Amino acid sequence: VDPGFNIGTGLLATDYTASAPSLAGNLYGTGVTTDYNGTTRNTINPSVGAFNYSVLGNVVLTATAGTTSTTYSNVKGALDAINAGIHQGAITIKLNGSTNETASAVLNASGTVGTTGTYTGTASYTSVTMYPSVTGVTIGGNIAAPLIDLNGADNVVIDGRVNVTGSTKSLTIINTSTSNLATVSTIRWINDATYNTLQYAIIKGAGVGTTSNYNGVLFFAAAATTGNNNNTITNNDILSLFVLKN
């Protein structure tokens, strides 16, 4: 059955809206009343196709302004979009499964210009909260740099509990790099990253390092002006994967 997509190409859910409720994928034909992210489906012209389930990845992002709902294959993709101002306001990143990070997942300060793909814009967020929705989630990579980099970012919460409830640690963040470069860490705070919280997570890594060149698993780097202040790290398991070299 031809669903009669409005456009049939593109990245927006509205590009794949059926022209009539009697066509394939509609509310009445499937009995599905909400999309995969909990959004109530339109009973007149319900969205169909890619928007109905998370085909793009395990990272589900919602925001109060800008583009309010999108999925990504990894955390870097989500943070790149925030940096470019695609998602704005109070932002939630829900991890429905593990991710493989092939480059540093960097979150810049709100108000700075960022680029993702061919799109350039200005970050505009008040808070970013990231947590798993299921147990056993891992954010992992083998990167000779920070796996997650809070570059002047403020008001970020990384919470390893499922749906931010209870006390069980269900999120592992691991950088398996064996590089001894001074850039290597698992999470870095830099350029006045303030009022951020890391809690109830298992953090592992990163880098072999030497006695004169080792950042550690968590790294507080250089400040821009005021310092990387008022950050909270609590109820985490922090483990090194490697032995320090002389």
Side-chain angles (χ1 to χ4, degrees):
V1 177
D2 181 4
F5 291 140
N6 279 351
I7 298 176
T9 60
L11 300 176
L12 300 177
T14 51
D15 296 340
Y16 299 89
T17 299
S19 60
S22 60
L23 298 175
N26 67 78
L27 172 65
Y28 307 106
T30 63
V32 178
T33 58
T34 58
D35 286 318
Y36 76 90
N37 64 354
T39 302
T40 301
R41 304 185 75 192
N42 186 308
T43 59
I44 304 302
N45 291 306
S47 58
V48 295
F51 192 63
N52 288 330
Y53 46 88
S54 180
V55 298
L56 296 180
N58 288 326
V59 180
V60 178
L61 184 152
T62 57
T64 57
T67 300
T68 58
S69 180
T70 311
T71 64
Y72 295 94
S73 61
N74 56 27
V75 174
K76 173 178 169 53
L79 299 190
D80 284 351
I82 296 171
N83 290 335
I86 294 173
H87 312 290
Q88 302 176 7
I91 297 171
T92 299
I93 299 173
K94 184 164 60 173
L95 303 170
N96 290 341
S98 297
T99 72
N100 178 43
E101 309 297 327
T102 57
S104 295
V106 181
L107 180 63
N108 297 328
S110 186
T112 59
V113 175
T115 300
T116 180
T118 59
Y119 183 86
T120 298
T122 302
S124 180
Y125 62 89
T126 56
S127 64
V128 177
T129 300
M130 180 167 65
Y131 61 87
S133 62
V134 295
T135 60
V137 171
T138 296
I139 301 171
N142 184 344
I143 303 170
L147 181 71
I148 296 176
D149 200 8
L150 300 179
N151 180 28
D154 301 333
N155 302 312
V156 176
V157 175
I158 302 175
D159 194 316
R161 299 173 295 170
V162 171
N163 296 324
V164 200
T165 301
S167 59
T168 301
K169 302 177 183 72
S170 296
L171 174 63
T172 299
I173 306 171
I174 179 171
N175 187 352
T176 59
S177 174
T178 59
S179 170
N180 64 357
L181 294 177
T183 54
V184 179
S185 61
T186 302
I187 303 176
R188 181 173 72 170
W189 291 255
I190 191 171
N191 292 329
D192 302 340
T194 60
Y195 294 102
N196 302 299
T197 299
L198 172 64
Q199 60 185 15
Y200 293 102
I202 301 167
I203 305 104
K204 298 180 180 180
V208 176
T210 66
T211 53
S212 61
N213 184 22
Y214 186 68
N215 291 334
V217 178
L218 305 180
F219 179 37
F220 285 85
T225 304
T226 60
N228 302 300
N229 299 324
N230 299 300
N231 294 290
T232 300
I233 301 172
T234 183
N235 292 302
N236 301 288
D237 296 337
I238 304 171
L239 308 168
S240 176
L241 297 178
F242 308 105
V243 176
L244 189 67
K245 292 181 177 180
N246 291 320

